[in-house]
């Protein structure tokens, strides 16, 4: 007997929704660009549908963009209703997070970040990798830089993606790092001089340096990360991609980012 999906939600034509619990079904691996805007979003100013994908329970998945931010939503009844929130399968798995990892960035989040402009610190053959969006003026990013030292010897590689979102001088400080040949060495200098008025910077960043900052910042916002530091990592066990806003407590860094030893 075919199992019907159980759905718990609030439906408002053109409005919001709460949550969905659905029975799993086979999914196509690729997304497509929408031929037309779904009816529920026809009058939503500033909301753009970047791509569509087949979702569980017969839903149609949307990658929405508002400004620079992207999110996952679901459509019902040929786009007449919009569902925002977590889509859970019968086993309690959060499919919204799975779809976010697959579709928010073209080619998948993990693959897209692998091609981004990051600065790596850690072992040559890491046991785990975490992407960290950091701002040169971010105090919590500086704390993470210090706390991460103990994790490199345990097999963690941190790939730092520099952004400039806190103060105007963030642009000048990040550009100074990009202007060097040894980016990690320059990042070390910046962190050593964190908070000092004479921390190195460039008065007039080049177009190439600004382009890197724009790409990194667009990626951070597209993933829904609202501040720095922001992290993208793979979940221990099944390897699914996860996003984290803000700095965890130091004692939680290893359990979050590193697989268990042995």
């Amino acid at each position: 007997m075919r199992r019907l999906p159980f759905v718990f939600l609030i439906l408002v034509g053109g409005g919001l929704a709460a949550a969905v619990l659905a029975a799993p079904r086979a999914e196509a691996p690729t997304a497509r660009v929408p031929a037309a805007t779904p009816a529920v979003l026809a009058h939503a100013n500033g909301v753009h549908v970047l791509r569509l994908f087949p979702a569980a329970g017969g839903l149609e998945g949307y990658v929405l963009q508002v400004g620079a931010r992207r999110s996952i939503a679901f459509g019902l009844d040929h786009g007449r209703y919009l569902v925002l929130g977590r889509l859970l399968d019968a086993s309690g798995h959060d499919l919204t997070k799975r779809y976010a990892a697959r579709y928010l960035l073209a080619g998948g989040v993990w693959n897209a970040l692998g091609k981004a402009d990051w600065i790596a610190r850690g072992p040559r053959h890491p046991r785990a990798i975490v992407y960290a969006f950091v701002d040169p003026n971010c105090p919590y990013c500086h704390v993470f830089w210090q706390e991460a030292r103990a994790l490199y010897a345990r097999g963690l590689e941190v790939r730092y993606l520099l952004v400039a979102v806190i103060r105007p001088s963030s642009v000048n400080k990040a550009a100074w790092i990009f202007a060097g040949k040894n980016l990690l060495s320059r990042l070390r200098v910046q962190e050593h001089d964190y908070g000092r008025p004479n921390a190195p910077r460039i008065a007039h960043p080049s177009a190439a340096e600004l382009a890197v900052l724009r790409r990194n910042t667009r990626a951070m916002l597209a993933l829904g990360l609202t501040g720095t530091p922001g992290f993208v990592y793979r979940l221990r066990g099944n390897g699914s991609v996860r996003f984290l806003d803000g700095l965890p407590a130091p004692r939680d860094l290893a359990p979050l980012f590193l697989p268990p030893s042995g």
Side-chain angles (χ1 to χ4, degrees), residues 25-65:
R25 72 179 182 97
E27 303 161 22
T30 58
R32 58 187 174 87
V33 177
T37 301
V40 71
L41 295 171
H43 304 291
N45 294 330
V47 180
H48 303 283
V49 182
L50 299 184
R51 57 184 68 96
L52 308 178
F53 58 90
L59 299 174
E60 185 168 60
Y62 305 147
V63 177
L64 303 182
Q65 180 156 328

Side-chain angles (χ1 to χ4, degrees), residues 143 147 151 154 247-255:
V143 172
E147 295 292 342
L151 303 180
R154 298 176 61 180
L247 179 65
R251 65 178 179 276
D252 295 330
L253 291 173

Side-chain angles (χ1 to χ4, degrees), residues 12-232:
V12 181
L16 303 179
V20 180
L21 184 65
R25 72 179 182 97
E27 303 161 22
T30 58
R32 58 187 174 87
V33 177
T37 301
V40 71
L41 295 171
H43 304 291
N45 294 330
V47 180
H48 303 283
V49 182
L50 299 184
R51 57 184 68 96
L52 308 178
F53 58 90
L59 299 174
E60 185 168 60
Y62 305 147
V63 177
L64 303 182
Q65 180 156 328
V66 181
R69 299 189 184 281
R70 298 179 186 179
S71 61
I72 298 294
F74 305 97
L76 288 171
D77 195 13
H78 305 290
R80 291 182 60 201
Y81 299 97
L82 185 68
V83 180
L84 299 176
R86 291 193 303 161
L87 177 66
L88 306 178
D89 67 14
S91 300
H93 299 130
D94 190 335
L95 300 185
T96 300
K97 289 183 178 179
R98 186 179 302 174
Y99 295 140
R102 183 181 299 178
Y103 297 120
L104 281 184
L105 297 181
V109 167
W110 200 255
N111 289 336
L113 291 181
K115 302 173 184 177
D117 300 285
W118 38 262
I119 303 171
R121 189 181 185 194
R124 180 171 295 182
H125 301 290
R127 296 171 55 223
I129 294 170
V130 59
Y131 292 92
F133 290 90
V134 296
D135 185 299
N137 284 316
C138 168
Y140 299 106
C141 300
H142 181 61
V143 172
F144 175 72
W145 171 268
Q146 295 173 316
E147 295 292 342
R149 293 172 185 167
L151 303 180
Y152 302 138
R154 298 176 61 180
L156 181 67
E157 178 184 281
V158 180
R159 295 179 175 180
Y160 293 92
L161 293 123
L162 287 164
V163 298
V165 295
I166 292 182
R167 287 199 291 270
S169 64
S170 298
V171 174
N172 308 91
K173 292 178 180 180
W176 180 84
I177 295 172
F178 293 138
K181 292 184 178 180
N182 188 329
L183 303 189
L184 178 57
S185 176
R186 287 207 163 198
L187 181 56
R188 284 195 180 103
V189 171
Q190 276 281 12
E191 292 296 336
H192 178 268
D193 292 342
Y194 175 80
R196 298 179 182 178
N198 61 342
R201 67 197 72 192
I202 284 181
H204 303 289
S206 70
E209 292 149 8
L210 293 175
V212 174
L213 280 173
R214 281 195 296 269
R215 285 195 297 270
N216 287 351
T217 303
R218 279 199 300 264
M220 183 185 82
L221 295 175
L223 297 175
L225 297 169
T226 58
T228 54
F231 301 97
V232 181

